[in-house]
Amino acid sequence: MHPTPTPTQHDECGLDITPPSTLDKIDRIRKQANLNKAQDDKFILSLDIPKCVSSGTYGTKRQCDAVDLDDLIVSVFACNTPTINIQAKNLDYSGIAVPVSTHTIDTDPVTVQYFVNNTFTNYWLLWEWMKLISHPTKGFAGDDDLFNLVPKNYQTNMSLYSLDGYNDVVGEWVFTGAFLTTLESVDYNHQSDEEITSSFSFDYSFVNFHLH
């Protein structure tokens, strides 16, 4: 007796959202070689689009292209994981300077390189986010409906997932209070058949890492 196939599910834009069938996780772990190539592993960045950004994109022709304007999932091919620095200071004691911890964490911004989709929707959402922080043509922060911009208007939470060769999440960096600081140019070359890429950097208030 054959199992009943899972019926295809579609969202309001007509896109297939049927959950993919998967092997048992233990079976996948057993089948995956210990010497799995590093390039077979990958990163996915998931972030909640700030409400002030997503609310301004509803009703646009790209709404269905984005699938869900409340969050954005970016396929990342290169990134730097957070550098965590805990500063030390010298404590004078009995004629010598003893180094002790300040217990103060100092973090560096994160830069991710990603694939621009063929409709530029992921780049466009990032552009709208940057435009909220500092408008490129009007010269002020916010928009016509939001003059008193405060951090909660442009900050959000992000998760950077590390995936193994079977698309299982093995690790996750969680960034709290994140916001864009740089949106790089689009690497566009008609003579190349490679996918179009770009990159952006973001800063954040807190970061945590845990295994899955």
Side-chain angles (χ1 to χ4, degrees), residues 20-32:
S21 59
T22 58
L23 297 172
D24 183 79
K25 181 176 178 62
I26 296 179
D27 290 338
R28 291 198 299 274
I29 294 175
R30 290 172 178 169
K31 292 179 181 180
Q32 184 174 3

Side-chain angles (χ1 to χ4, degrees), residues 50 52 129 132-133 141-142 146-156 179:
C52 295
W129 190 0
L132 178 71
I133 297 174
L146 182 64
F147 294 103
N148 297 320
L149 194 68
V150 295
K152 70 176 182 179
N153 296 139
Y154 60 83
Q155 293 181 352
T156 188
F179 60 95

Side-chain angles (χ1 to χ4, degrees), residues 91-98:
L91 181 65
D92 295 334
Y93 177 75
S94 188
I96 61 174
V98 180

Side-chain angles (χ1 to χ4, degrees), residues 18 21 57 75 83 91 98 106 110 126 134-135 151 172 176 192 194 203:
T18 306
S21 59
T57 58
S75 179
T83 299
L91 181 65
V98 180
D106 181 25
V110 173
L126 295 172
S134 182
H135 202 288
E172 178 184 3
T176 304
S192 173
E194 298 293 331
D203 215 329

Side-chain angles (χ1 to χ4, degrees), residues 46-185:
S46 174
L47 58 99
D48 298 326
I49 298 295
K51 293 297 183 183
C52 295
V53 178
S54 60
S55 61
T57 58
Y58 284 107
T60 65
K61 62 181 180 180
R62 294 302 178 97
Q63 180 175 350
C64 283
D65 292 338
V67 181
D68 188 350
L69 293 177
D70 292 326
D71 57 57
L72 177 65
I73 298 177
V74 180
S75 179
V76 176
F77 67 87
C79 68
N80 64 294
T81 56
T83 299
I84 308 297
N85 299 310
I86 301 180
Q87 301 295 330
K89 66 177 180 180
N90 289 332
L91 181 65
D92 295 334
Y93 177 75
S94 188
I96 61 174
V98 180
V100 297
S101 176
T102 62
H103 306 288
T104 301
I105 295 179
D106 181 25
T107 58
D108 294 332
V110 173
T111 298
V112 297
Q113 302 178 55
Y114 69 100
F115 293 108
V116 179
N117 59 22
N118 57 1
T119 60
F120 277 75
T121 302
N122 52 5
Y123 177 84
W124 168 69
L125 281 173
L126 295 172
W127 176 272
E128 291 296 311
W129 190 0
M130 290 288 287
K131 191 168 69 174
L132 178 71
I133 297 174
S134 182
H135 202 288
T137 61
K138 297 181 179 180
F140 60 81
D143 55 28
D144 294 335
D145 299 320
L146 182 64
F147 294 103
N148 297 320
L149 194 68
V150 295
K152 70 176 182 179
N153 296 139
Y154 60 83
Q155 293 181 352
T156 188
N157 296 329
M158 296 186 182
S159 289
L160 179 64
Y161 299 99
S162 176
L163 309 180
D164 64 14
Y166 291 90
N167 288 332
D168 285 324
V169 176
V170 294
E172 178 184 3
W173 289 266
V174 180
F175 304 92
T176 304
F179 60 95
L180 293 186
T181 57
T182 305
L183 181 59
E184 294 290 349
S185 60

